[in-house]
Amino acid sequence: MGKASLVKVGLLGFGMVAERFHVPLLRAQKRLRLTHVVERHRDRSKKLQPPVQTVRTVEELWESDVDVVIVLTPNESHFEFAAQALRAGKHVVVDKPFTVTTAQADELIELSHAMGRLLTVFHNRRWDNDFLTLRGLVAQGAVGRIRRLESRWERHRPEPKGDWREQPIEGMGVLYDLGSHLIDQVLQLFGPPGRILSHLQIQRENVGAVDCFDLTFDYGTWQACLRSDCLTPVPSHRFAIYGESGSYLKHGLDPQEDALKAGVLPLAPNWGTEPEESWGALKTLGTDGKVRSERIPTLPGNYGEFYRNLAATLAGNEPLHVTAEQAREVILALELCLESQKTGRWVDWSSRGGTA
């Protein structure tokens, strides 16, 4: 696409994720313009400013002049609609999880190459403030040689919502939801593990999909432990990393989702920042044997970077931050977690075609 061209965007689906995340993030990008929304039965998107065109069928979206289609439908339909959009000549953004299986992911990647179209996945939590801060500390070697990482996302939701995410359908549940994010973050930091062990549960009544997981990614000399559940009244830390010379502990969640939910646009001053009392603590052991403790300023989060980079990539100015190949590795990890749960054993990363 030309460097000065405006990129027209269409949404396939207009639920909570569209309204809370994608619409405000798109509005913050001058080179991206939301023009079409598929709503089969409702007209909620007509309230958007500037106004968009509501269409009732996916075929109308394929026939429109949009350049990019964002697939926001239930997980099991991501593959079908992304494939249709690519065949219609559209660039495609798929909300996570990318697909349900690696076979589907591979087919979409091959199709995107054949059609000469961009394909990416909305792994926005690469721009969580705590993850950005943790990544910086790891790059600096702030805790020395790593011994253990804990990534926890605990919530208190004892009453099910009753939506499609909790149904006994392939690709549903917290493993594919939050699990996709936590896995993507670990793979971005450290690459693929040697092997994976998982313990998956359904803790709540009237829920058909996994709502609790404990995953262990083994890196030989150390392990990354990922956990999420819906029955923790008082969550513990979000991140903890331990090394041979220190540790870093971070509580609380990135504030961007709450800000978006409250209607604040990501153009607001101090977007993605948090107060000093929320900063994480770094403790290091000095050569004198004394422990030094300091509060580490949390870097500002920036979900808008996903769409800024998308526009820049389409203009030919930057490489894509989130590639389909990277998102495919997340799906592989999810498949290995399911296999480990089924067998009750460690599963090697290389056993299913993972790339080291």
Side-chain angles (χ1 to χ4, degrees):
M1 300 182 67
K3 291 185 178 182
S5 60
L6 185 69
V7 178
K8 296 182 179 180
V9 179
L11 296 184
L12 177 49
F14 196 71
M16 178 273 292
V17 171
E19 293 185 85
R20 182 176 300 180
F21 288 96
H22 295 272
V23 170
L25 295 177
L26 289 167
R27 289 177 62 187
Q29 301 300 321
K30 293 182 179 180
R31 292 200 60 253
L32 301 177
R33 178 174 296 173
L34 179 60
T35 61
H36 292 70
V37 173
V38 177
E39 287 193 89
R40 296 186 185 277
H41 307 293
R42 299 182 296 182
D43 294 295
R44 290 163 55 200
S45 61
K46 287 187 176 181
K47 298 178 182 179
L48 294 177
Q49 296 296 327
V52 300
Q53 181 177 344
T54 301
V55 295
R56 297 303 187 192
T57 67
V58 294
E59 289 75 19
E60 291 176 87
L61 187 61
W62 309 154
E63 294 168 2
S64 73
D65 62 350
V66 301
D67 305 296
V68 177
V69 168
I70 303 175
V71 178
L72 301 174
T73 55
N75 301 349
E76 79 277 9
S77 65
H78 285 183
F79 168 73
E80 175 189 355
F81 288 128
Q84 290 182 25
L86 289 168
R87 293 192 183 99
K90 311 299 184 183
H91 302 290
V92 177
V93 175
V94 184
D95 197 51
K96 61 80 202 161
F98 181 19
T99 53
V100 173
T101 67
T102 51
Q104 293 176 342
D106 290 338
E107 188 171 337
L108 288 180
I109 291 169
E110 183 178 352
L111 180 59
S112 70
H113 292 163
M115 297 300 299
R117 290 296 179 264
L118 179 148
L119 174 64
T120 185
V121 179
F122 189 61
H123 277 297
N124 62 299
R125 293 201 179 276
R126 291 189 188 184
W127 293 276
D128 273 350
N129 64 355
D130 45 22
F131 176 70
L132 292 173
T133 306
L134 177 67
R135 186 174 67 179
L137 292 172
V138 169
Q140 297 165 21
V143 299
R145 192 174 182 179
I146 296 171
R147 297 303 188 194
R148 178 180 174 87
L149 170 73
E150 295 179 4
S151 175
R152 307 171 72 95
W153 198 297
E154 298 157 325
R155 299 177 290 186
H156 190 231
R157 294 181 177 176
E159 296 299 326
K161 291 185 176 181
D163 63 10
W164 53 265
R165 293 176 179 83
E166 299 173 340
Q167 300 306 310
I169 303 171
E170 188 178 21
M172 298 302 175
V174 73
L175 179 65
Y176 273 76
D177 182 18
L178 286 174
S180 292
H181 284 309
L182 303 192
I183 290 170
D184 180 66
Q185 290 177 339
V186 169
L187 294 181
Q188 286 302 299
L189 281 177
F190 306 111
R195 56 182 185 163
I196 292 176
L197 182 68
S198 73
H199 179 60
L200 313 178
Q201 291 181 274
I202 299 177
Q203 293 184 321
R204 297 172 297 171
E205 295 183 1
N206 301 316
V207 171
V210 169
D211 61 1
C212 174
F213 63 74
D214 284 277
L215 315 178
T216 304
F217 283 35
D218 185 69
Y219 287 90
T221 60
W222 67 279
Q223 296 178 335
C225 303
L226 319 180
R227 174 176 173 78
S228 181
D229 71 36
C230 298
L231 295 178
T232 301
V234 183
S236 58
H237 53 268
R238 170 66 184 92
F239 280 115
I241 189 165
Y242 306 94
E244 61 183 5
S245 60
S247 64
Y248 172 72
L249 194 67
K250 178 70 174 70
H251 293 83
L253 298 176
D254 181 283
Q256 292 178 89
E257 182 173 354
D258 285 342
L260 290 168
K261 185 178 180 180
V264 181
L265 286 179
L267 296 173
N270 301 317
W271 175 263
T273 62
E274 66 179 15
E276 184 173 349
E277 57 265 26
S278 297
W279 294 354
L282 175 66
K283 294 184 178 182
T284 54
L285 182 65
T287 55
D288 58 359
K290 295 182 179 180
V291 175
R292 178 172 177 260
S293 181
E294 61 178 316
R295 304 284 283 187
I296 301 299
T298 307
L299 296 176
N302 184 14
Y303 295 160
E305 178 63 15
F306 177 88
Y307 280 117
R308 187 211 62 78
N309 171 251
L310 174 66
T313 301
L314 290 172
N317 297 330
E318 293 180 8
L320 194 62
H321 285 333
V322 184
T323 68
E325 288 78 8
Q326 292 168 348
R328 185 260 187 201
E329 298 297 89
V330 174
I331 303 305
L332 171 61
L334 292 169
E335 288 184 331
L336 296 180
C337 290
L338 294 175
E339 184 175 340
S340 175
Q341 172 70 14
K342 183 178 180 180
T343 63
R345 299 178 179 177
W346 288 96
V347 178
D348 290 339
W349 180 267
S350 61
S351 67
R352 295 284 298 278
T355 57

